[in-house]
């Protein structure tokens, strides 16, 4: 959200960049003369840090990146990691001189001179400054990625290099070594038990094995905790520049605003901070620009001249809660209603429904000037909502005319480790972020009724819609629903009927690989152990999807063949949610039996299976007289394997390097002659 179109703010920013760059140039020149002390070096670290934060809050990403490189370089000099020298001094001065010319340039890319100076400084640091980049730490792909079908969550906040506490890192290494020793002892004990003569194991051996397993479990938990601590950073890394931002915005708007921050010392995953940086900045700016009144209007309304905007943060368990509130004029709902009707965003009936009005505020289409005056910068809350949904969090809005507005965001403290409530529906396991689950109710104990074409029930004194989870994800329910899971969404609580609720589990979330992407309400998958996979859903998008009217009619039927239960679950879930009717087969033998007496519109199969490969199976399928299109899906097959599969009768071959988003669904549609399926995207 750059402010490069605001001349007054740009003037203020240009002035600050000029001051910071002059100080950094002077520091580089002093370093070149060997005429700089430790306090001056620490000052240079602060100058780079402040520049990084100020530029980021103003939306100048390229200058912010330059500030981070300068901060890291001076900190490396301060700690003795990098010895000062002529080349390093020259690079520091060069980059500092390129800052001011980059202000009028593109906020994201900056100028060629700035980019060149950043590269020059990084080269000067390269031989001495260790950097843990994704390229340096690349390892062989683990089996947990389901043969390339899953991606990884591997982006880090605030640049390429992530510094960690050295003592914490060595503690982590020690615990890894201890865990390896425990694992070796478990292995030795299991082998000894396996080699015993026929007969029950001795009680002493079983007790010893049980103790070793418990020790290993505890060590793993401690290892996870240490790793999470090393990947965490304080929320103040994001909010530290907000006071200055509020001064900028309030000065420009002619307002008097006190900005309070409470609790930003809490530490959360850096990846979460990266996702929250712009949304929080957006909310603070929105509160100052559009939420609070000018002093004269506040006095006329009986308020104090100085408005208050507050950001509060709190961590409880695995949840980070952030509230941004103001004591301004609140949302003028009559204005929202009028603008929504004028733009055709709501019908007359919907315009008098509070839930529908709130839903409009979260819409990217709500962008009139009147809407901006009451709720934001012309995009409503859509940009904030998208970021929060990307973290599998929730967002709620409360506003009282004349009293102010309050927006509460709740997200997991970690993006990769998530607490999920597991449910069974449509014949497989799904995961709903625990942060969004409000309640679980027995279906038999609830009174349901139909009104205006939707099912409703009462929950905590309010009426909420009740939807079929299976239908929402585009599948048919295979069991009898017995539970209602109530989830929080942007427009209020929604109940989903499911076959069973199986408790809460902490899972390591993985993103869907490009081949399976393209279904917005599926956010990834996670291993449960024993080959089981849980498919993770976004309750906000799922609820919106379920509310939308759908076309009716037959859907394309697809048979998925894979010996991996996890792969079957993920591929089947992705295709089902994309609108296909899906059947699953766990082996070539089972698939051939099914194909002997059932018809499908397409077949999707893995290439590498234990009893026969994809080429052999494709040939066997064709020998049955089946002319259905066959898609081979594998991340482990070679070029020769691909050639053999196509020669044997396969119609398409997709591997891990096929990075088209939603490539599998697209290939199926192309092969069956372009027939359209019911779209849930």
């Amino acid at each position: 959200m750059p402010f490069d179109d605001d001349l007054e703010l740009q003037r203020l920013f240009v002035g600050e960049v000029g001051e910071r760059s002059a100080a950094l140039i002077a520091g580089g020149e002093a370093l070149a003369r060997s005429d700089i002390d430790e306090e001056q070096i620490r000052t240079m670290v602060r100058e780079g840090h402040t520049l990084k934060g100020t530029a980021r809050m103003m939306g100048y990403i390229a200058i912010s990146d330059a500030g981070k490189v300068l901060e890291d370089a001076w900190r490396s000099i301060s700690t003795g990691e990098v010895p000062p020298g002529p080349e390093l001094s020259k690079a520091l001065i060069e980059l500092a001189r390129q800052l001011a010319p980059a202000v009028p340039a593109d906020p994201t890319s900056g100028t060629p001179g700035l980019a060149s100076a950043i590269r020059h400084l990084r080269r000067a640091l390269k031989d001495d400054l260790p950097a843990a980049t994704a390229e340096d730490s690349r390892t062989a792909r683990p089996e947990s990625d389901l043969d390339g079908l899953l991606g990884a969550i591997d982006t880090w906040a605030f640049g390429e290099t992530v510094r960690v506490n050295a003592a914490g890192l060595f503690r982590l290494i020690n615990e890894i070594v201890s865990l390896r020793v425990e694992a070796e002892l478990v292995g030795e004990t299991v082998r000894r038990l396996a080699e015993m003569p026929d007969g029950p194991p001795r009680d002493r051996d079983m007790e010893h094995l049980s103790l070793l397993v418990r020790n290993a479990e505890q060590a793993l938990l401690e290892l996870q905790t240490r790793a999470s601590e090393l990947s965490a950073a304080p929320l103040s890394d994001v909010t530290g520049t907000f006071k200055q931002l509020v001064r900028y915005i309030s000065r420009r708007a002619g307002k008097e605003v006190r900005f309070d921050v409470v609790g930003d010392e809490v530490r959360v995953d850096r990846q979460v901070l990266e996702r929250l940086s712009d949304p929080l900045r957006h909310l603070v700016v929105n509160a100052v620009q559009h939420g609070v009144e000018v002093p004269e209007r506040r006095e006329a309304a009986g308020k104090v001249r100085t408005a208050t905007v507050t950001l509060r943060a709190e961590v409880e368990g695995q949840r980070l809660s952030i509230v941004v509130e103001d004591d301004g004029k609140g949302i003028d709902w009559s204005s929202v209603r009028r603008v929504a009707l004028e733009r055709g965003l709501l019908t007359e009936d919907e315009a008098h429904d509070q839930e529908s009005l709130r839903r409009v505020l979260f819409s990217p289409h709500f962008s009139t000037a009147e809407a901006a005056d009451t709720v934001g910068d012309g995009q409503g809350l859509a940009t904030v909502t998208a970021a929060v949904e990307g973290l599998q969090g929730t967002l709620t809005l409360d506003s009282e005319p004349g009293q102010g507005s309050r927006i509460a965001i709740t997200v997991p403290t970690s993006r990769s480790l998530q607490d999920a409530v597991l449910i069974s529906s449509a014949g497989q396991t799904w995961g709903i972020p625990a942060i969004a689950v409000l309640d679980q109710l027995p279906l038999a104990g609830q009174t349901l009724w139909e009104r205006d074409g939707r099912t409703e029930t009462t929950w905590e004194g309010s009426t909420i819609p009740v939807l079929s989870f299976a239908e929402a994800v585009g599948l048919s329910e295979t069991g009898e629903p017995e539970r209602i899971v109530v989830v929080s969404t942007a427009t209020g609580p929604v109940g989903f009927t499911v076959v069973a609720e199986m408790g809460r589990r902490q899972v390591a979330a993985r993103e869907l690989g490009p081949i399976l992407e393209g279904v917005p309400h599926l956010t990834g998958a996670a291993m449960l152990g024993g080959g089981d996979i849980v498919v993770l859903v976004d309750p906000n998008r799922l609820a919106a999807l379920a509310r939308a009217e759908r076309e009716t009619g037959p859907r394309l039927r697809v048979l998925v063949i894979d010996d991996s239960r996890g792969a079957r679950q993920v591929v089947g879930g992705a295709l089902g949610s994309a609108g296909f009717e899906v059947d699953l087969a766990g082996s070539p033998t089972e698939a051939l039996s099914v194909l002997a007496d059932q018809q499908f519109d397409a077949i999707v199969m893995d290439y590498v299976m234990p009893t026969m490969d994809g080429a052999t199976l494709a040939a066997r399928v064709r020998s049955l007289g089946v002319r259905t299109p066959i898609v081979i899906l594998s991340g482990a097959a070679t070029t020769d394997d691909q050639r053999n599969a196509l020669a044997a009768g396969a119609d398409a071959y997709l591997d891990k390097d096929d990075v088209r988003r939603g490539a599998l669904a697209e290939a199926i549609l192309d092969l069956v002659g372009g027939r359209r399926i019911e779209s849930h995207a």
Side-chain angles (χ1 to χ4, degrees):
M1 190 172 58
F3 299 99
D4 54 333
D5 59 346
D6 190 308
L7 295 180
E8 184 177 354
L9 285 180
Q10 190 176 37
R11 179 180 59 79
L12 292 170
F13 183 60
V14 168
E16 176 158 353
V17 171
E19 293 173 6
R20 305 287 179 197
S21 61
L24 288 162
I25 291 170
E29 292 172 343
L31 184 69
R33 299 191 303 268
S34 299
D35 184 26
I36 191 169
D37 58 30
E38 292 184 4
E39 180 56 36
Q40 289 175 299
I41 292 176
R42 285 194 292 270
T43 299
M44 294 300 101
V45 174
R46 289 194 295 271
E47 292 286 354
H49 178 80
T50 303
L51 177 68
K52 175 189 72 175
T54 302
R56 178 167 288 273
M57 81 173 183
M58 294 292 292
Y60 290 85
I61 305 304
I63 297 178
S64 177
D65 289 344
K68 173 165 178 53
V69 175
L70 287 163
E71 176 191 5
D72 286 346
W74 281 106
R75 181 175 285 113
S76 297
I77 295 170
S78 174
T79 60
E81 292 179 62
V82 175
E87 187 65 23
L88 181 56
S89 301
K90 180 181 177 182
L92 288 166
I93 296 169
E94 177 189 357
L95 181 52
R97 285 175 174 166
Q98 292 295 329
L99 295 172
V103 175
D106 182 89
T108 300
S109 58
T111 62
L114 184 72
S116 175
I118 289 175
R119 290 194 298 270
H120 184 189
L121 181 53
R122 283 177 173 159
R123 281 197 301 270
L125 293 167
K126 184 177 180 181
D127 293 335
D128 299 290
L129 181 64
T133 64
E135 184 69 26
D136 296 333
S137 60
R138 183 181 297 166
T139 58
R141 180 167 46 97
E143 294 181 3
S144 61
D145 72 350
L146 293 185
D147 200 17
L149 297 180
L150 300 184
I153 296 176
D154 55 9
T155 55
W156 288 91
F158 311 132
E160 297 177 356
T161 301
V162 177
R163 293 177 175 271
V164 298
N165 178 275
L169 178 60
F170 286 121
R171 283 197 302 269
L172 183 65
I173 293 171
N174 287 337
E175 289 176 5
I176 291 173
V177 173
S178 298
L179 180 58
R180 179 179 58 79
V181 172
E182 291 285 345
E184 290 174 350
L185 289 174
V186 171
E188 290 175 4
T189 303
V190 170
R191 283 192 296 273
R192 187 171 66 252
L193 291 173
E195 293 169 358
M196 290 178 60
D198 292 343
R202 292 174 297 180
D203 290 343
R204 185 178 62 184
D205 290 320
M206 294 304 297
E207 289 176 3
H208 181 54
L209 179 58
S210 177
L211 176 62
L212 289 174
V213 170
R214 286 198 301 272
N215 289 343
E217 289 175 343
Q218 183 61 36
L220 281 170
L221 181 60
E222 293 176 359
L223 189 65
Q224 175 182 304
T225 300
R226 295 291 188 197
S228 298
E229 289 173 352
L230 288 178
S231 69
L235 182 61
S236 57
D237 278 5
V238 168
T239 62
T241 58
F242 282 11
K243 286 185 179 293
Q244 187 176 11
L245 174 62
V246 170
R247 287 198 297 270
Y248 278 5
I249 303 299
S250 58
R251 185 188 308 179
R252 174 260 202 185
K255 298 178 180 180
E256 297 177 10
V257 182
R258 185 184 74 196
F259 179 62
D260 294 330
V261 181
V262 180
D264 68 344
E265 73 279 358
V266 298
R267 298 179 64 85
V268 294
D269 189 331
R270 283 183 172 90
Q271 298 179 90
V272 174
L273 292 184
E274 172 76 4
R275 295 294 185 93
L276 288 179
S277 178
D278 285 344
L280 292 180
R281 181 162 55 94
H282 178 105
L283 292 178
V284 170
V285 170
N286 187 68
V288 176
Q289 285 186 323
H290 309 297
V292 302
E293 312 94 329
V294 295
E296 295 76 17
R297 289 189 179 180
R298 292 181 63 86
E299 284 186 327
K303 299 181 178 181
V304 297
R305 289 178 58 87
T306 301
T308 300
V309 175
T310 305
L311 185 151
R312 293 189 179 88
E314 181 182 14
V315 169
E316 183 177 354
Q318 301 297 318
R319 300 185 182 194
L320 168 65
S321 299
I322 301 175
V323 173
V324 177
E325 59 186 345
D326 64 73
D327 63 351
K329 60 182 179 293
I331 293 175
D332 183 350
W333 291 109
S334 62
S335 177
V336 173
R337 181 180 296 107
R338 175 179 55 80
V339 174
L341 286 171
E342 288 176 354
R343 296 183 60 82
L345 298 174
L346 293 177
T347 65
E348 285 286 350
D349 290 341
E350 290 172 333
H352 294 281
D353 176 61
Q354 192 65 26
E355 179 182 324
S356 298
L357 284 176
R358 287 179 179 272
R359 189 159 63 244
V360 165
L361 295 182
F362 294 87
S363 168
H365 306 295
F366 198 68
S367 58
T368 66
E370 292 91 339
D373 287 341
T374 56
V375 300
D377 67 348
Q379 286 297 319
L381 296 173
T383 55
V384 179
T385 302
V388 173
E389 288 179 352
L391 288 169
Q392 307 312 302
T394 61
L395 182 151
T396 59
L397 166 69
D398 294 304
S399 183
E400 186 70 25
Q403 301 300 313
S405 299
R406 179 182 186 273
I407 294 179
I409 291 173
T410 304
V411 296
T413 55
S414 171
R415 187 164 170 241
S416 55
L417 292 176
Q418 296 183 16
D419 283 344
V421 172
L422 306 186
I423 58 103
S424 175
S425 183
Q428 66 184 81
T429 304
W430 307 82
I432 303 174
I435 201 169
V437 176
L438 302 174
D439 206 351
Q440 299 117 36
L441 311 168
L443 183 57
Q446 291 297 118
T447 300
L448 306 180
W449 61 86
E450 297 291 326
R451 185 175 67 176
D452 298 330
R454 74 177 187 179
T455 304
E456 296 179 341
T457 191
T458 299
W459 177 75
E460 292 196 348
S462 300
T463 298
I464 64 171
V466 177
L467 313 166
S468 164
F469 184 92
E471 292 179 6
V473 296
L475 298 173
S476 300
E477 189 57 88
T478 58
E480 188 66 29
E482 296 184 359
R483 305 284 292 178
I484 297 178
V485 178
V486 182
V487 301
S488 172
T489 74
T491 55
V494 174
F496 285 104
T497 60
V498 301
V499 173
E501 183 271 317
M502 300 176 291
R504 179 179 301 200
R505 288 277 297 276
Q506 188 172 76
V507 297
R510 303 290 300 276
E511 294 176 344
L512 295 180
I515 289 176
L516 301 179
E517 283 184 353
V519 187
H521 58 277
L522 295 190
T523 62
M527 306 294 291
L528 293 179
D532 280 335
I533 287 286
V534 57
V535 180
L536 304 174
V537 300
D538 179 342
N540 274 300
R541 292 183 181 273
L542 194 63
L545 172 68
R547 288 191 181 99
E549 293 186 6
R550 299 182 178 177
E551 300 175 3
T552 59
R555 299 187 296 167
L556 297 181
R557 192 178 182 206
V558 180
L559 176 65
V560 175
I561 310 166
D562 201 306
D563 62 296
S564 165
R565 182 169 53 193
R568 292 197 303 274
Q569 289 174 295
V570 171
V571 175
L575 289 178
S577 293
F580 296 93
E581 181 181 344
V582 180
D583 282 40
L584 305 176
S587 69
T589 302
E590 181 184 354
L592 292 170
S593 175
V594 171
L595 289 167
D597 55 15
Q598 296 187 44
Q599 293 185 345
F600 296 87
D601 294 291
I603 300 170
V604 176
M605 65 175 70
D606 185 23
Y607 187 89
V608 181
M609 290 184 282
T611 56
M612 66 178 71
D613 61 28
T616 305
L617 179 56
R620 292 284 299 275
V621 170
R622 295 302 184 217
S623 71
L624 295 175
V626 176
R627 295 293 172 257
T628 297
I630 297 175
V631 179
I632 301 287
L633 183 65
S634 179
T638 65
T639 302
D640 288 340
D641 293 332
Q642 177 178 351
R643 186 164 45 247
N644 293 338
L646 296 174
D651 298 278
Y653 181 97
L654 302 177
D655 64 16
K656 68 179 186 300
D657 295 322
D658 193 326
V659 295
R660 288 179 295 146
R661 188 172 185 263
L664 180 56
E666 179 185 323
I668 294 172
L669 290 174
D670 289 344
L671 289 171
V672 295
R675 276 191 287 161
R676 302 305 301 170
I677 62 169
E678 179 186 351
S679 175
H680 301 299

